[in-house]
Amino acid sequence: MGYVEMKKIGVYIHVPFCNSRCIYCGFYSNAIEGVAGNEKNTLFENYFSEVQRGIISIREEIAKNYKDYEIDSVFFGGGTPSILPLKFIEKLLNEVAGFGLKISEACEITIEANPNNLDYHRLIKYREMGINRLSIGVQSLNDDELAFLGRTHKKKDVYLAYETARRAGFDNINLDLIFAIPGQDIESWNANVGKICELDPEHISIYSLEYEEGTRLSELLRNEFIFPQNDDIDRKMYWSAVECLEKHSYIQYEISNFAKQNKFCLQNKKYWDLSPYIGIGRGAHGFISNVRYEFANLIDIPAANMNGFFDSQLAKEDLWELATDYVFVALRRNKGIDFDEFKQRIGQDFFHVFSDKKKITDLVKMTLLKYTDNGIALTKKGVDLANSVISTIISR
């Protein structure tokens, strides 16, 4: 028999702990600064027990619908996964094997980390566990900007962590940056991007600062202690970064993500392709059996009562919702919407679901969309107005 390539599935593990909470963070996490050692250990043990219960709950669904799949990516996100004791990271990786799926020999295993959590011993242990990709939350190489954001590291920590990671053998590293910080000027931002490019990581992510409801940042904005950058500055910062990254041979494959050839993040691509991935850990979401689920909804359901859970959820995820999901994520990619991929994922032709072709024609005339060989994608102007373009396409 010839070689048959197995289908791929990813695993996202949310670690809901951090040392202290950054003022902009809207993710589910618990700050444990000042928590005593045994109390921390109890928190970690309780978290791990939740993960085990959740895995037991969905194991049957995985075995039923994904037996011919293999896991090709595992992603530890947070929170700050790098503050977890090493034994818990190892235990979590062992739990991934509990799904009963083959784990690809080339599986990409990523862990998010703060620069000041990465010593040589920890990095060597990560490598021994099979972790082969780091995503380091740099955010800025300006100490004043870092202090404003509530980050606990300084510029020097970034350089030390990066050099130590290379010494430990990591050859696939992502560095995150944030722009449009209040008080940040274009010169400071360009300096950040230039210095990061000089380090030459395999992957760089850039994000405009968001004022999510419920964060300290949104409270400061509401009380007028700070003011956001205006849209023109925000866009100038974005496009100057794109230009710099392209000059340094980074390929833009999504609005915020850039990588060297063959170094695109496998887990992120699953989100934008509507590929299946298992989400575990409180605060995680997953996408399996065409159902987008929240892990917290699973952990309190006894495994014996799980029969029909995904069937009942599937009834709520109708074709229209899946199609609009696809439009939302696919248009973030540089290649945009692929009509063949759309039919494969959704089961219908694009213009059967979105039958008002005039909307697309008008958006093309307005130079917000462009036709590709087999689909549509955002233009440069369209990227700046992406939410508006998407809303126009999916509105009924």
Side-chain angles (χ1 to χ4, degrees):
M1 288 180 64
Y3 172 73
V4 178
E5 184 176 2
M6 296 185 74
K7 300 174 190 172
K8 313 296 185 185
I9 190 169
V11 177
Y12 173 75
I13 304 171
H14 191 75
V15 180
F17 305 107
C18 48
N19 282 321
S20 60
R21 198 164 178 80
C22 299
I23 66 170
Y24 58 86
C25 182
F27 293 113
Y28 176 74
S29 66
N30 300 283
I32 58 174
E33 189 175 34
V35 177
N38 9 339
E39 290 178 73
K40 277 183 191 174
N41 200 60
T42 300
L43 280 174
F44 298 152
E45 290 285 3
N46 290 342
Y47 158 73
F48 182 69
S49 295
E50 279 194 352
V51 167
Q52 287 182 308
R53 290 205 306 276
I55 287 175
I56 290 168
S57 295
I58 57 177
R59 189 178 286 152
E60 187 177 328
E61 183 71 19
I62 300 300
K64 181 175 68 176
N65 290 320
Y66 295 93
K67 60 187 175 186
D68 56 344
Y69 281 67
E70 68 176 3
I71 296 170
D72 71 332
S73 68
V74 178
F75 194 105
F76 288 91
T80 310
S82 57
I83 70 170
L84 264 190
L86 289 166
K87 68 175 183 179
F88 284 102
I89 297 291
E90 190 164 24
K91 286 165 73 172
L92 287 165
L93 282 170
N94 288 338
E95 287 299 308
V96 170
F99 284 114
L101 300 180
K102 182 179 186 295
I103 298 176
S104 166
E105 289 182 12
C107 186
E108 182 177 278
I109 306 178
T110 302
I111 190 165
E112 291 183 339
N114 281 345
N116 49 350
N117 294 141
L118 294 176
D119 59 63
Y120 185 72
H121 170 74
R122 176 174 288 272
L123 287 162
I124 288 293
K125 289 296 183 184
Y126 284 164
R127 295 277 295 153
E128 290 173 358
M129 291 176 203
I131 295 171
N132 50 27
R133 185 175 183 274
L134 288 178
S135 183
I136 304 175
V138 174
Q139 316 316 359
S140 175
L141 288 173
N142 179 302
D143 285 345
D144 290 336
E145 291 169 3
L146 289 170
F148 170 79
L149 294 171
R151 303 295 290 172
T152 57
H153 68 272
K154 294 185 181 297
K155 171 184 174 179
K156 63 180 176 60
D157 298 317
V158 174
Y159 287 102
L160 178 60
Y162 186 81
E163 184 275 329
T164 306
R166 290 301 197 200
R167 193 156 47 90
F170 279 92
D171 59 3
N172 196 358
I173 299 176
N174 170 63
L175 301 179
D176 283 346
L177 285 174
I178 291 177
F179 64 94
I181 300 167
Q184 184 182 53
D185 56 36
I186 192 78
E187 289 76 18
S188 174
W189 169 242
N190 286 342
N192 278 336
V193 178
K195 289 171 186 173
I196 289 295
C197 286
E198 286 172 13
L199 287 175
D200 200 35
E202 287 67 34
H203 194 288
I204 297 173
S205 302
I206 62 170
Y207 302 103
S208 178
L209 184 65
E210 293 189 8
Y211 295 76
E212 292 198 39
E213 196 57 42
T215 63
R216 173 71 178 144
L217 188 66
S218 67
E219 183 183 332
L220 291 171
L221 178 66
R222 188 168 55 252
N223 292 317
E224 298 187 346
F225 289 117
I226 59 168
F227 298 94
Q229 294 280 9
N230 68 50
D231 289 343
D232 286 345
I233 296 294
D234 180 291
R235 292 297 84 197
K236 282 178 182 175
M237 288 181 172
Y238 176 78
W239 289 111
S240 68
V242 171
E243 183 180 355
C244 180
L245 289 160
E246 287 176 347
K247 283 180 181 175
H248 284 82
S249 303
Y250 288 93
I251 301 165
Q252 184 178 20
Y253 66 105
E254 191 268 347
I255 286 177
S256 298
N257 287 273
F258 305 76
K260 296 295 179 73
Q261 190 73 44
N262 299 321
K263 293 295 184 179
F264 299 171
C265 176
L266 291 184
Q267 186 68 19
N268 284 351
K269 284 180 87 274
K270 293 188 189 304
Y271 307 148
W272 304 317
D273 297 344
L274 276 198
S275 296
Y277 65 94
I278 304 162
I280 58 178
R282 192 179 287 270
H285 292 77
F287 184 68
I288 60 176
S289 302
N290 275 353
V291 175
R292 212 171 283 286
Y293 71 88
E294 184 178 356
F295 182 84
N297 293 338
L298 302 180
I299 56 177
D300 295 322
I301 303 175
N305 296 346
M306 281 297 293
N307 283 345
F309 175 82
F310 282 94
D311 291 337
S312 64
Q313 293 294 106
L314 187 59
K316 299 172 189 174
E317 286 275 323
D318 63 17
L319 181 142
W320 178 258
E321 289 172 310
L322 289 172
T324 55
D325 267 359
Y326 177 89
V327 170
F328 183 81
V329 294
L331 274 181
R332 291 187 58 89
R333 307 177 303 185
N334 269 36
K335 75 173 188 177
I337 292 169
D338 180 283
F339 292 150
D340 288 341
E341 183 184 70
F342 182 92
K343 186 168 185 177
Q344 179 188 357
R345 293 279 190 261
I346 311 304
Q348 299 277 355
D349 288 330
F350 180 83
F351 284 111
H352 178 81
V353 180
F354 300 100
S355 55
D356 188 353
K357 292 186 179 180
K358 186 175 182 301
K359 284 183 182 179
I360 304 300
T361 304
D362 288 347
L363 289 167
V364 170
K365 286 179 180 175
M366 294 163 66
T367 65
L368 296 172
L369 278 182
K370 61 186 176 184
Y371 287 109
T372 61
D373 289 343
N374 190 42
I376 50 175
L378 293 172
T379 62
K380 181 176 178 179
K381 181 180 172 184
V383 168
D384 289 340
L385 297 168
N387 289 340
S388 175
V389 173
I390 292 167
S391 295
T392 300
I393 295 171
I394 67 176
S395 62
R396 281 175 150 166

